[in-house]
């Protein structure tokens, strides 16, 4: 059973940076589409960034130019293990509105049927990691 485990959340001040990671096991990482979502208190789950099996990336307008999604094994973004890989989300210039629970998602289809930022496009989810940005 594929498993996704997020890490790297925390509390930062406005303008700070964080890098989230998602350890993906029991899946062929480079054949899957992967994404990051977030959910603020009282709000729905929002797509933040996605990357398909071809390496195509997509970002929500609110994070373009500030967030970067990537796949890798932590030391070499071009070399990936077959049974355990890591998805990253580098976040810079953080704002209070970036606060929320961040979730890693994956799907074995490898591609998106819509934008790559819809929750329906992913079938496997992690438990989330909290990001809090204070002003």
């Amino acid at each position: 059973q594929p498993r996704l485990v997020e890490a790297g959340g925390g509390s930062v001040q406005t303008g700070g940076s964080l890098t989230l990671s998602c350890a993906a096991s029991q899946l062929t990482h480079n054949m899957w589409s992967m994404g990051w979502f977030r959910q603020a208190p009282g709000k729905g789950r929002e797509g933040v960034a996605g990357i398909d099996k071809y390496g195509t990336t997509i970002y929500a307008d609110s994070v373009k130019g500030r967030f970067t999604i990537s796949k890798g094994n932590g030391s070499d973004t071009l070399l990936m293990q077959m049974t355990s890989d890591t998805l990253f989300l580098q976040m810079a210039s953080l704002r209070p509105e970036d606060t929320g629970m961040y979730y890693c998602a994956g799907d074995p289809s490898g591609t998106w049927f819509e934008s790559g930022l819809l929750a329906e496009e992913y079938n496997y989810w992690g438990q989330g990691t909290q990001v809090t940005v204070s002003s």
Side-chain angles (χ1 to χ4, degrees), residues 10 63 70:
V63 305
S70 63

Side-chain angles (χ1 to χ4, degrees), residues 39-104:
Q39 188 165 14
K43 295 188 177 181
R45 194 164 292 191
E46 172 192 21
V48 175
I51 183 167
D52 70 7
K53 66 179 181 181
Y54 303 110
T56 302
T57 57
I58 188 167
Y59 297 92
D61 288 343
S62 60
V63 305
K64 281 181 183 176
R66 300 188 299 121
F67 290 13
T68 302
I69 187 172
S70 63
K71 294 179 181 178
N73 67 358
S75 60
D76 183 344
T77 57
L78 298 179
L79 178 63
M80 292 181 281
Q81 300 171 22
M82 292 301 293
T83 59
S84 181
D85 278 307
T86 307
L87 180 73
F88 297 98
L89 184 68
Q90 297 171 275
M91 305 186 295
S93 302
L94 284 163
R95 306 166 180 169
E97 53 264 39
D98 294 319
T99 293
M101 186 69 77
Y102 281 69
Y103 298 91
C104 171

Side-chain angles (χ1 to χ4, degrees), residues 6-12 17-22 36 91 129-131:
E6 303 93 337
S11 297
V12 296
S17 299
L18 281 174
T19 296
L20 305 183
S21 63
C22 172
W36 286 99
M91 305 186 295
T129 185
Q130 178 68 35
V131 172

